[in-house]
Structures are given as structure tokens and as C-alpha cells.
Amino acid sequence: MSIRILNGGMLTTVQDNGRIGYQQFGVPVSGAMDQQAAAIANILVGNEDNEAVLEVTMLGPRIEFQEANCIAVTGGDLTPQLNGKSLPMNRAVAVQKGQVLSFAAPRSGCRAYIAFAGGLEIPQVMGSRSTYLKAKIGGLEGRKLDKEDVLTFRAPVAQLPNMEKRAVADAETFTKPDVTLRVVLGPQDDAFTEAGIKTFLGETYAVTVQSDRMGCRLDGPVIEHVKDGNIISDGISFGAIQVPSEGKPIIMVADRQTVGGYTKIATVISADHSKAAQIKAGDKIRFVQVGITEAQDLYLDRKAYLRALREALSHAYDPSAGPAKQPPRPQKYACLPR
Amino acid sequence: MDSVKFLLTGDTSVSVEFGNEISTAINAKIRAFNIALQGSGIKGIVETVPSYRALMVHYDPAVIRYEKLVEQMQGLMGDLDKIEIPPSDVLEIPVLYGGEEGPDLEFVAKHNNKTPEEVIKIHSSTEYLIYMLGFTPGFTYLGGMSKEIATPRLQSPRVKIPGGSVGIAGEQTGVYPIDSPGGWQLIGLTPVKMYDPNRAVPILPEAGQYIKFRPIDRKEFERIQKQVEAGAYECRRYPKKEEQK
């Protein structure tokens, strides 16, 4: 026994980096919606990037610690509190037995991540601890966390070396309701008229309440097809923007089906997956086209950022190495100003 | 191979499209390319996902960038006809047809002016190509069903269909891997679990293989069911006979 759920919140699930290698068998990838936030949380508490974390959605859970450990909360600001007092985000925090982690009200973003040093004792299903609700696999019995559920720490630590340095000062925030998502066009951009592409890249789309871990439905001007929105089914990647015949885009995310029969006009680039994961009903979305080279440069920047963060923290272990340096955040990593 | 297209599906995957129709020839090319790619030693490939007409290739741009990957994959295309492709396996799935397990068998027969026995014979005499898996874990999109037993979906879908049910929808046939709602005409049930998340091999069928249904009686159904529960049943597999190029 390590943590006891006093209240599950709206939707709290165990997630890691997802089921890799099983899409060919029709198994969705799942995993944390905001992979970057989950990885940062893990790195802050000394875990591997892909260790299982709790993904908290909008209204967070109340969690009682039955054992001391170090934790980090990242991602959207859902107002985390420890014993009723504000808990700093994006920083490793030592928690004591008996303390209660709770969340007040969502302030920005949609999803927060809680990492526990040493990880959680959760069996792997098809190589992953991620919960996939629809097939009831992974996580805790394939479902969201509920009152009286108990999860066990795998290798808790009461203290980590250099606790005060285990923080990210410039973590991405999700405070703006106007979000620009960068995309590369394709795979079926040729199924749309020139006017359709212009609409897609020029207009603003509103996030609807019909948005979940599978897809994020947007509302706005109709995107015109050459013929219609149907294709012979093919694969779907994270961030693929599906446009069925009705002409309204859907951003496909973590629990998306592996294959689908609707035209996909473009794909949100990896560097903006966090932003896509953190949008919520009412937010306004604009799409901006970039090329594949730029998209991959940005992908590498984010990988380098995580690597540098880990490096900086591992140096922190060695007192002779001097004070740990924060990795400079790549400029391109910053949210695009509107 | 001039018709092969490399379509951008984001910055960590690419869709290698071999055509724009559902055909066994295109699917054979996808299988050949998938095998060639796995054996190519190209680094940075994370996973591949076959579908009707394309192979989606997920990769890590930190290891290989888009242009380089496409160049290397293009290099494989020329040799596709030359490399040795092992024959596809046929996966034999035992099915108890009719009765409670196949409540729509009579309707399928009547709809096609056939007897239930004729429907069973037709349904179980084909080796069906698995074009791809999707929709739910382990669900197979099969090709090759005879039009003689084609039957439209139910007017009103059932709320819960037991996993293992074998059904017909239009000119398609398939097996429900898990309990789910659905509108297919149910003609039988297999005791074999196509999908079991906790098994060493969680999903039995693979894209590019074939499925053949073998009619069994209730006694054999119960025997196999016991073996399945004990984890001791293995479906018969045999190499597909004819060369498929």
C-alpha cells in the first residue's frame, strides 16, 4: 500500500509512453496525452522518461500517501495542493505518510501528470502500463481510478539528492485559450480543394465538448473536399487531423483507432502535441503549415531539451561538479505567440 | 513500383502507399515490403502498421530523418520482386455453426435461397486473406467471401455480441474478438480466443495471413473450450499453397 485514492476526480488513469508495436494487431497506442509533461515529471523524480504516471483530467483526484516518496506534478495547472496548501508544479517534492494531494480547480490546460519516484507497481499488458479504457486493459484493471483504490510504489525514496535543483523554471504553460498548432500537410491533403486547404489554414476552430482521449472534435467553417471524406482505411498517427464528409476537423490523439476510413488533411507536429493534449472545450484553434524539415528540427529540439534536463539533474548528484545548470530551453520550443 | 507514394503522416511516421483499391495484389506488395523493411537493417524504425493499401512506418527522427528514410525505402522497392517471401500462414479457426451460437444462420440461408448446410460449406471452404487488423484489438478485415452468402447487416444492432462470434456483414465476414455491440449476422462461434491481452501471443491473426474456418460439433467445441481455458490449445497453421504474387 502506497497511495490510497480518496476521490478519483473526473478521469484519472495510469499512463506511460503507450503500447508500441501492437498497432499492427489493431491495438491503439494509448499512453499519456502530453508525453513531454509526463517525461519531465519522471525526469524530475529520477525515473526513466517512460515510467507510468497518473494522468489527471480537469478535476483532479484526492490522494492520500500511505508511504513517503518524492513526486512531481507537471502539465496543465489544475491547482495541485498538498494538505490544502499550494503545491509547486514542475518540481520534485518530498511527501510524507499521511499527507493528502488534491486539486482545487483547473486554471490552465486540461491534463496534469503526477510522477512518483521509483514508479508504480502496475503489471504491463502488451509491454505497457497505459490504461486503455475501451478494451479495459492496462493501468488498474483497465479503468479509471476510483475511491478506495490503492496503488503501490515500486521503489519509493524519501529524499532525492539535490531536491532544490529538481525543478524546471520554464515549463510550457497552457494559459491562452487561443492556440496555434503547427501541422505538416498530408496524408490526404489532395482530397481537399484549394479552397478547402485555405479554409483549414486560415480559419479559427472551436474545441467542442465532444473531446476525449480518442479525438478532439472541432467546430468551424466547413473544409471542402474534392469528392467526399471517405477513403480506403489506412493508419492514423497521433495528431492526425481527420475531416469526415461533414467537413469539421477531428484531431486524433492517444486512444485513436489504429486505422480509419476518413480523409486526413494534415498532422499536428510533435513539438505541438503537448498543446494539442492540453486544449479543452471552448479553446480556439488555428493551424499553421510548416515543412517536414522544420517539424523534425523541432522534434529534435524537444528531445535535446529532455536529455539536457536529465543531464543537468544527474550532474546534481555530484557535489564536486558544482551547481546544476538549467538547460537552456530551445527557442523554438516556446509557444508561438498569436 | 512507380506508383508507390510516400505520404507524410506527421514528423515521426510515413505512409507508404501501394495503390488506391482493395486488392490481393496490393496487399501482397505491402507484405513483401514489410518483410523487406524488417530485414533491411534500416535503423530507427519503431513499428509498422499494414492496412488495405499502405504500410505505415513509424520511426524516430533522432535516428533517421524523413528524406534519408524515404531514400532508403525507395532503394528497397526495386528488389521487392527478387527477395524470398515465405508463403503466408493459414490460421485454422474451429467454428460451431448455427444454433444459439449462430442465431442468424437460418436467416443468412433464407436470404440467399440456400440451406444452412450450404452456407456452412461455402463459408468454411475459403481461405480468407487478412487485409489488416483494426477497429478493436484483434479484429480482422477479411477478403474473399463468396457473394453467394452475402447478407446485409441487422436492421438494429445487438447490444452485446459475445467475443468469438463469427458474422457476416454484406460481403464481409469476420470474428468479434471481444464482447461488443454490433450489427453483423451471427452464424457461429469459435471457442478460440482471437485476442487475449494476457497471453504470450495476445493476438492470433496477423495481417497478410489467411483464416480458414473449420466446422466443428458441440462435443469438439466443448473439448477445445476446455483446452483454451487451460492455455493448451493451439490453432492449426499451415503454409498457404498457391504462390501469391
Side-chain angles (χ1 to χ4, degrees):
Chain A
M1 294 210 299
S2 298
I3 58 172
R4 189 162 70 100
I5 308 299
L6 305 178
N7 179 330
M10 187 175 147
L11 173 63
T12 305
T13 56
V14 176
Q15 299 293 344
D16 59 15
N17 65 331
R19 275 183 191 90
I20 315 289
Y22 288 89
Q23 287 190 79
Q24 59 175 309
F25 299 112
V27 184
V29 179
S30 303
M33 287 277 287
D34 185 342
Q35 286 289 331
Q36 188 85 355
I40 290 172
N42 274 322
I43 292 171
L44 287 174
V45 296
N47 291 345
E48 292 294 321
D49 290 18
N50 58 1
E51 185 55 69
V53 297
L54 294 186
E55 178 177 281
V56 173
T57 318
M58 295 301 282
L59 302 171
R62 281 169 59 81
I63 298 172
E64 183 192 51
F65 292 94
Q66 302 188 318
E67 200 175 341
N69 199 356
C70 292
I71 67 164
V73 180
T74 63
D77 185 355
L78 308 181
T79 322
Q81 298 180 333
L82 193 64
N83 275 4
K85 282 190 197 139
S86 176
L87 177 87
M89 291 186 59
N90 302 302
R91 159 180 290 283
V93 177
V95 294
Q96 311 305 323
K97 184 178 172 176
Q99 288 188 319
V100 173
L101 172 67
S102 62
F103 293 83
R107 253 188 282 194
S108 68
C110 180
R111 295 177 170 90
Y113 294 86
I114 313 169
F116 306 91
L120 293 168
E121 191 67 65
I122 297 281
Q124 295 197 348
V125 177
M126 291 181 253
S128 166
R129 297 186 168 90
S130 289
T131 312
Y132 175 44
L133 295 168
K134 215 173 148 203
K136 302 186 181 76
I137 56 170
L140 185 70
E141 297 164 5
R143 59 175 174 81
K144 64 178 191 171
L145 298 187
D146 213 344
K147 202 162 80 176
E148 293 307 321
D149 281 340
V150 168
L151 296 177
T152 306
F153 296 142
R154 228 172 39 242
V157 285
Q159 277 294 325
L160 287 162
N162 293 294
M163 280 298 281
E164 70 285 358
K165 282 165 190 155
R166 296 183 165 273
V168 177
D170 56 353
E172 208 168 352
T173 57
F174 308 95
T175 49
K176 293 197 185 76
D178 299 307
V179 180
T180 301
L181 297 177
R182 289 166 292 186
V183 299
V184 287
L185 289 185
Q188 279 96 33
D189 48 318
D190 61 353
F192 297 86
T193 62
E194 208 173 301
I197 301 276
K198 217 173 139 193
T199 305
F200 170 67
L201 293 172
E203 299 289 343
T204 301
Y205 288 86
V207 180
T208 71
V209 289
Q210 291 162 288
S211 298
D212 55 20
R213 283 182 43 87
M214 193 170 161
C216 180
R217 279 176 185 269
L218 307 179
D219 198 8
V222 167
I223 300 165
E224 188 184 58
H225 289 92
V226 175
K227 217 172 110 226
D228 60 26
N230 301 318
I231 54 163
I232 297 172
S233 293
D234 66 2
I236 308 176
S237 54
F238 191 110
I241 301 164
Q242 204 170 259
V243 185
S245 295
E246 59 159 22
K248 306 285 175 74
I250 306 167
I251 307 173
M252 305 302 286
V253 283
D255 286 352
R256 68 200 180 278
Q257 296 183 2
T258 54
V259 291
Y262 296 120
T263 47
K264 296 171 284 293
I265 192 168
T267 310
V268 178
I269 67 170
S270 297
D272 287 349
H273 283 182
S274 289
K275 278 194 274 176
Q278 296 289 355
I279 55 179
K280 52 186 184 294
D283 285 354
K284 299 276 189 289
I285 310 290
R286 273 188 56 215
F287 297 104
V288 171
Q289 185 189 359
V290 296
I292 181 65
T293 305
E294 186 182 348
Q296 294 198 329
D297 285 345
L298 292 164
Y299 168 94
L300 295 179
D301 282 352
R302 279 168 79 92
K303 286 277 162 197
Y305 174 79
L306 291 181
R307 217 172 29 243
L309 177 64
R310 179 175 292 287
E311 183 87 344
L313 293 181
S314 71
H315 283 325
Y317 288 127
D318 177 9
S320 67
K325 269 189 284 191
Q326 277 287 331
R329 177 162 143 183
Q331 233 181 351
K332 289 171 189 163
Y333 174 72
C335 299
L336 275 185
R338 276 292 307 271
Chain B
M1 288 286 172
D2 290 341
S3 58
V4 176
K5 285 186 198 160
F6 297 91
L7 303 176
L8 279 176
T9 51
D11 48 30
T12 61
S13 63
V14 53
S15 180
V16 185
E17 195 176 283
F18 286 81
N20 195 14
E21 56 179 329
I22 300 176
S23 86
T24 51
I26 288 172
N27 213 249
K29 278 182 196 168
I30 292 170
R31 179 167 177 266
F33 178 64
N34 201 8
I35 291 170
L37 189 62
Q38 311 289 340
S40 70
I42 298 177
K43 293 202 166 61
I45 291 169
V46 177
E47 69 179 305
T48 60
V49 187
S51 61
Y52 278 121
R53 61 195 175 119
L55 185 74
M56 194 164 184
V57 180
H58 293 264
Y59 63 100
D60 181 0
V63 181
I64 188 163
R65 300 275 299 229
Y66 174 72
E67 292 80 8
K68 183 94 184 155
L69 176 64
V70 168
E71 189 192 305
Q72 297 208 357
M73 289 196 296
Q74 255 160 349
L76 294 175
M77 294 297 173
D79 297 332
L80 276 197
D81 296 334
K82 289 177 211 153
I83 62 162
E84 277 286 309
I85 305 292
S88 293
D89 266 357
V90 181
L91 179 66
E92 197 181 82
I93 300 294
V95 178
L96 175 60
Y97 284 96
E100 251 175 65
E101 286 77 11
D104 303 322
L105 178 65
E106 297 275 349
F107 179 82
V108 170
K110 239 179 244 157
H111 181 83
N112 290 290
N113 290 318
K114 299 224 163 355
T115 64
E117 290 70 32
E118 285 169 324
V119 172
I120 295 171
K121 190 157 181 245
I122 294 167
H123 188 259
S124 61
S125 62
T126 307
E127 290 168 340
Y128 299 99
L129 173 62
I130 304 170
Y131 278 106
M132 62 178 187
L133 283 82
F135 177 57
T136 57
F139 182 83
T140 51
Y141 289 83
L142 301 177
M145 196 184 78
S146 166
K147 286 188 173 61
E148 287 183 68
I149 54 173
T151 313
R153 286 161 203 258
L154 295 180
Q155 296 282 339
S156 155
R158 289 185 173 92
V159 179
K160 190 180 168 188
I161 290 172
S165 293
V166 178
I168 288 177
E171 293 179 19
Q172 282 188 83
T173 184
V175 183
Y176 281 92
I178 48 174
D179 293 356
S180 45
W184 291 39
Q185 305 279 356
L186 305 183
I187 59 170
L189 184 75
T190 176
V192 169
K193 285 185 177 152
M194 307 292 273
Y195 161 74
D196 178 354
N198 298 311
R199 191 167 55 195
V201 181
I203 288 143
L204 295 182
E206 259 177 57
Q209 293 182 339
Y210 291 77
I211 281 183
K212 178 141 189 317
F213 298 106
R214 178 171 65 87
I216 54 171
D217 58 18
R218 187 165 299 278
K219 221 171 124 190
E220 189 173 2
F221 181 93
E222 283 164 4
R223 188 165 53 82
I224 294 174
Q225 197 169 39
K226 272 191 198 118
Q227 286 178 302
V228 167
E229 273 158 26
Y233 186 79
E234 252 186 65
C235 286
R236 188 177 158 235
R237 284 173 193 270
Y238 56 92
K240 171 107 173 117
K241 280 209 187 80
E242 61 199 343
E243 263 310 298
Q244 27 118 23
K245 274 245 161 130

